[in-house]
Amino acid sequence: MDIREWWPLLNAETRDWLIDHNGEPLPPNVVARIMTATGGTTDSRWWASESTDGPHLSDEAVDWIEGVANDEDPTVS
């Protein structure tokens, strides 16, 4: 599922957390909300890796969220 599809399905609190902590490891509650919104799919374009600190979104997802935070119209390549 494309980030443009699941982003509006997230509650405002989760979207705000992703903007405020863009690029940081995701806490379990944020992962759970994203997984609920996506129906459990983990598109490799958006999920980069798992680290000891938690899962990370891909650089493409981080860039997309940054575009949203800057009131830009982010596109997906």
Side-chain angles (χ1 to χ4, degrees):
M1 177 180 264
D2 190 279
I3 194 169
R4 292 177 290 186
E5 296 173 290
W6 58 259
W7 183 261
L9 301 175
L10 299 174
N11 63 25
E13 177 185 348
T14 303
R15 290 191 308 265
D16 289 345
W17 189 94
L18 287 165
I19 289 169
D20 293 343
H21 301 275
N22 198 16
E24 295 180 17
L26 305 176
N29 64 321
V30 172
V31 172
R33 291 177 188 149
I34 293 171
M35 295 302 285
T36 297
T38 65
T41 63
T42 55
D43 187 327
S44 62
R45 289 181 302 159
W46 309 116
W47 296 95
S49 64
E50 184 78 34
S51 73
T52 57
D53 296 328
H56 290 264
L57 293 176
S58 68
D59 289 341
E60 186 175 2
V62 169
D63 291 346
W64 191 92
I65 293 168
E66 182 179 352
V68 168
N70 292 329
D71 293 323
E72 299 170 359
D73 182 19
T75 58
V76 177
S77 56

